[in-house]
């Protein structure tokens, strides 16, 4: 078995590879087609693909991006040192720069206020993509400066997405040469869906 974590080794690199309902995939695919990303606030429970989508958008379009885990760097010092330093310089490859603030609902109120100012100040050359589990923890001023996209699945979408994910993990296990029992695989998906990350981590743990 590969030493790499499944969640990283098999992370989708394009929007087409992401497991999303059509109503969401079409929105993100339109951004790729146009080569432009607005400021985004991606909301939804843990492991549903928010960060993967954010990275895939940047990589597929070919935009430079800075990734910040806001649950670890959550204060105003992070904004002053990392964000302002990055956003204030021009991209060496041309085009817009992107800042991905993962778990942005962990930002302090002061950092959120400063972020609002940064979004406005660097609007000419920098796009912000925020991900969060609880969008209510982010101030209205942040919401109003982003296109808010909720990853919560509708009832009728859940079985379709679960089946698509089941097929994906079968392909992963096959590619890794790992034998498995389909019934056991179904139970794992049923237990952890729609947390794709948790499911893959558990699969890798069991397969070891």
């Amino acid at each position: 078995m590969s030493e790499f974590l499944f969640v990283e080794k098999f992370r989708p690199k394009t929007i087409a590879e992401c497991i999303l309902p059509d109503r969401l995939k079409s929105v993100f695919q339109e951004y790729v087609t146009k080569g432009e990303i607005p400021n985004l606030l991606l909301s939804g429970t843990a492991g549903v693909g928010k960060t993967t989508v954010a990275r895939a958008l940047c990589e597929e379009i070919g935009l430079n991006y800075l990734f910040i885990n806001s649950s670890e760097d959550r204060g105003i010092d992070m904004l002053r040192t990392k964000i302002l330093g990055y956003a204030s310089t021009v991209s060496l490859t041309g085009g817009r720069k992107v800042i991905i603030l993962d778990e942005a609902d962990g930002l302090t109120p002061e950092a959120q206020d400063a972020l609002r100012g940064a979004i406005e100040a660097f609007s000419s050359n920098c796009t912000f993509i925020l991900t969060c589990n609880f969008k209510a923890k982010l101030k209205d001023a942040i919401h109003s400066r982003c296109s808010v996209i909720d990853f919560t699945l509708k009832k009728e979408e859940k079985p379709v997405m679960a089946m698509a994910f089941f097929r994906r993990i079968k392909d992963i296990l096959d590619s890794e040469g790992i034998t498995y029992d389909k019934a056991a695989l179904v139970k794992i998906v049923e237990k952890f869906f729609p947390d794709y990350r948790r499911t893959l981590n558990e699969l890798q743990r069991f397969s070891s």
Side-chain angles (χ1 to χ4, degrees), residues 120-136:
E120 292 183 346
F122 300 109
S123 60
S124 62
N125 73 308
C126 196
T127 293
F128 289 79
I129 303 178
L130 284 59
T131 76
C132 68
N133 294 345
F134 306 101
K135 59 185 176 183

Side-chain angles (χ1 to χ4, degrees), residues 138-178:
L138 288 166
K139 294 187 175 185
D140 290 343
I142 301 293
H143 285 239
S144 67
R145 286 163 175 77
C146 301
S147 295
V148 182
I149 300 179
D150 194 336
F151 278 58
T152 303
L153 296 175
K154 298 178 180 179
K155 183 178 180 181
E156 63 272 18
E157 293 170 340
K158 289 181 179 179
V160 179
M161 294 297 99
M163 182 55 67
F165 186 55
F166 177 76
R167 290 194 295 267
R168 176 70 55 84
I169 60 177
K170 278 183 59 187
D171 290 343
I172 289 173
L173 294 175
D174 288 340
S175 71
E176 292 291 295
I178 297 170

Side-chain angles (χ1 to χ4, degrees), residues 5-58:
L5 291 174
F6 284 179
V7 291
E8 295 301 333
K9 183 175 182 180
F10 297 102
R11 183 189 293 274
K13 297 293 192 295
T14 66
I15 295 301
E17 294 172 348
C18 294
I19 297 176
L20 296 166
D22 289 341
R23 63 183 172 85
L24 294 183
K25 183 171 284 191
S26 62
V27 171
F28 296 126
Q29 194 62 59
E30 184 70 13
Y31 297 153
V32 172
T33 301
K34 290 182 176 179
E36 298 176 353
I37 310 171
N39 293 322
L40 296 174
L41 173 55
L42 310 181
S43 172
T45 55
V48 295
K50 304 181 297 295
T51 304
T52 293
V53 165
R55 289 180 183 270
L57 283 171
C58 296

Side-chain angles (χ1 to χ4, degrees), residues 95-114:
R96 295 179 67 80
K97 302 174 81 170
V98 179
I99 294 176
I100 299 174
L101 281 168
D102 204 35
E103 300 185 40
D105 42 347
L107 291 171
T108 64
E110 295 79 10
Q112 289 189 40
D113 289 337

Side-chain angles (χ1 to χ4, degrees), residues 56-72:
L57 283 171
C58 296
E59 291 173 7
E60 194 167 0
I61 295 173
L63 300 174
N64 290 332
Y65 68 92
L66 172 68
F67 181 86
I68 298 174
N69 187 333
S70 305
S71 65
E72 297 174 358

